[in-house]
Amino acid sequence: MNIFWFIPTHGDSRYLGTSKGARQVDHAYMKQIAVTVDQLGYDGELIPTGRSCEDPWITAASLIDATHNLKFLVALRPAVTTPALAARMAATFDRLSNGRVLLNLVTGGDEQELKGDGIYEDHATRYKTATEYVNIWREILTRSHTGESFTFHGERLHVDDAQLLYPPLQKPYPPLWFGGSSDDAIELATDQVDTYLTWGEPPAAVKEKLEQVKAKAQAKGRQLNYGIRLHVIVRETTEAAWQAANELIQYVDDATIATAQEKFKHMDSVGQRRMAELHHGDRTKLEVSPNLWAGVGLVRGGAGTALVGDAQTVADRIQEYADLGIDTFIFLCYLNLEESISFAELLFSLLLFETRQKLTQPHLTGPLGVIVANHYAPPREKTAHAVLEEPV
């Protein structure tokens, strides 16, 4: 089980749909989050992409030296950059970070935004381009280890004697991730990528989707890893968690919801449509599965659901997805700095034993917690409720 967090380069706030409680996301804040989750033992961080975000590559590169073990999941955007340039960027990042880059293939789902980037391809054509793009990208990186060049002439893209002199550390190339729900997306995923990502739909819907992807991959002789993106609102009690969820959207008015939902209708992303269909903009129908809340998706594009509950309940829901074959969980919650700490404090002790060992920095010695009465060390136990140890 791999646990990732999120760098909120498109904004962070205590309340959605309003500037009330908003926090300035500057480099110092992003660095603070990165250092925190690295020290806490998270496996990596997703850095979002799009015109509403700071550039993910520059953001991630600026955080290499501030972190030690954290992996950065950054966007690979077909048609925004050439595949040869993207291969050099990936190899350089991998070398400078000592093998800590992962690539998130993003084809885009908002035609208006894509036109602003100079991309005028429809949904089907974008996937044709993406297929050729990834093929070129992978071959350049793979052949860099032996010094070979690569020539390719496709329907959309062409390269002659493309060559990369400085190979990446990860072989044959930094792992490629991708999320998409359309037939074209699943075809691309099962052909080209290493990890398939889904957004947080109810477990039954996720199971159906993963079974489809697994069957297609198996038919092609391939085996993928699987990940999921979810918000998470975890508190000491379930009542407190639901209160926090309701507070998150308490200042969102109906006009803002209507505007957001209308925008989502005009996107050609199947995944975005599935998110919107979970609630249809109705505040009274937000718990779409036990402890799975779609309130974030009232106004936020992309992953719009959250696991809500006390630590054990959320851990149980995470396990439900893990039982479906999910091995990587990418979480976020507002405000992201405080919530990354709270999640680690409440959830890490309930994770699988192997994961828990990895996250507790076993090379450190000495007592954990605040020494009681300058004399007693809190016991190292799995639960927070334990008697004091003998005097030290």
Side-chain angles (χ1 to χ4, degrees):
M1 184 183 294
N2 302 300
I3 307 295
F4 282 51
W5 200 256
F6 182 83
I7 295 285
T9 65
H10 66 98
D12 208 1
S13 180
R14 191 173 300 279
Y15 308 105
L16 295 182
T18 175
S19 61
K20 186 187 295 290
R23 179 171 293 171
Q24 182 70 43
V25 179
D26 56 14
H27 184 259
Y29 182 57
M30 292 187 286
K31 181 178 178 180
Q32 192 175 12
I33 295 175
V35 170
T36 297
V37 301
D38 189 35
Q39 292 177 339
L40 287 171
Y42 287 87
D43 293 278
E45 283 191 324
L46 169 66
I47 303 177
T49 188
R51 68 179 178 187
S52 63
C53 308
E54 299 281 11
D55 180 76
W57 282 90
I58 293 176
T59 299
S62 74
L63 299 172
I64 290 175
D65 198 43
T67 55
H68 301 285
N69 301 307
L70 201 67
K71 294 184 178 180
F72 297 96
L73 183 55
V74 295
L76 188 65
R77 298 290 303 268
V80 176
T81 58
T82 68
L85 173 59
R88 288 198 294 274
M89 291 169 63
T92 297
F93 195 114
D94 203 48
R95 293 166 66 88
L96 297 182
S97 67
N98 196 27
R100 292 192 287 135
V101 69
L102 307 168
L103 284 304
N104 183 29
L105 183 66
V106 178
T107 59
D110 182 348
E111 289 191 348
Q112 181 181 359
E113 177 180 341
L114 289 167
K115 288 176 181 177
D117 286 336
I119 302 169
Y120 291 84
E121 299 175 334
D122 60 23
H123 185 274
T125 305
R126 289 203 307 275
Y127 277 97
K128 291 179 181 178
T129 300
T131 298
E132 295 185 3
Y133 183 101
V134 172
N135 184 42
I136 295 171
W137 180 86
R138 291 171 65 228
E139 286 296 327
I140 291 174
L141 286 162
T142 299
R143 295 176 185 226
S144 69
H145 297 287
T146 57
E148 298 176 71
S149 63
F150 180 61
T151 295
F152 177 87
H153 291 271
E155 179 183 345
R156 311 289 305 171
L157 301 173
H158 314 275
V159 293
D160 285 289
D161 293 322
Q163 190 173 23
L164 183 62
L165 300 181
Y166 297 93
L169 296 185
Q170 298 181 83
K171 295 182 178 182
Y173 53 84
L176 186 62
W177 300 38
F178 172 69
S181 296
S182 68
D183 291 340
D184 289 332
I186 293 174
E187 199 68 38
L188 172 61
T190 53
D191 276 338
Q192 302 271 14
V193 309
D194 305 293
T195 296
Y196 177 79
L197 281 173
T198 181
W199 288 338
E201 299 177 25
V206 171
K207 179 181 180 181
E208 181 180 1
K209 185 191 297 186
L210 294 193
E211 286 178 347
Q212 180 183 2
V213 175
K214 290 175 183 177
K216 278 187 171 291
Q218 186 176 8
K220 298 175 181 180
R222 303 194 68 232
Q223 183 173 344
L224 308 183
N225 298 316
Y226 296 92
I228 191 167
R229 287 187 58 190
L230 284 158
H231 291 70
V232 60
I233 302 173
V234 60
R235 297 292 185 270
E236 299 253 355
T237 67
T238 293
E239 292 75 18
W242 281 113
Q243 180 179 343
N246 291 325
E247 288 175 353
L248 186 61
I249 60 170
Q250 66 178 314
Y251 296 112
V252 177
D253 56 39
D254 291 341
T256 301
I257 293 174
T259 299
Q261 295 302 308
E262 186 63 26
K263 173 63 177 177
F264 298 153
K265 289 179 183 177
H266 290 88
M267 295 182 180
D268 64 13
S269 166
V270 174
Q272 184 62 70
R273 187 194 72 213
R274 289 168 69 113
M275 282 283 104
E277 289 175 349
L278 291 175
H279 53 75
H280 297 286
D282 188 342
R283 291 176 183 265
T284 68
K285 299 179 180 179
L286 295 180
E287 190 174 3
V288 296
S289 182
N291 302 100
L292 184 65
W293 182 70
V296 177
L298 291 175
V299 293
R300 186 193 189 280
T305 54
L307 295 178
V308 181
D310 63 84
Q312 187 60 61
T313 298
V314 171
D316 291 343
R317 297 296 178 235
I318 291 173
Q319 188 60 50
E320 288 180 2
Y321 288 110
D323 291 342
L324 299 178
I326 302 289
D327 51 38
T328 298
F329 293 81
I330 303 175
F331 293 114
L332 72 150
C333 187
Y334 307 103
L335 294 156
N336 276 275
L337 175 60
E338 290 88 338
E339 294 295 337
S340 68
I341 298 170
S342 178
F343 181 90
E345 290 175 343
L346 293 171
L347 264 296
F348 280 0
S349 64
L350 301 177
L351 298 176
L352 295 175
F353 180 72
E354 293 84 357
T355 304
R356 187 166 66 247
Q357 276 193 317
K358 178 181 62 177
L359 297 172
T360 53
Q361 301 188 46
H363 60 281
L364 296 180
T365 60
L368 292 176
V370 178
I371 303 300
V372 178
N374 296 330
H375 197 62
Y376 299 94
R380 290 175 179 258
E381 297 197 7
K382 296 181 180 180
T383 64
H385 306 289
V387 297
L388 294 174
E389 290 180 338
E390 290 299 316
V392 295

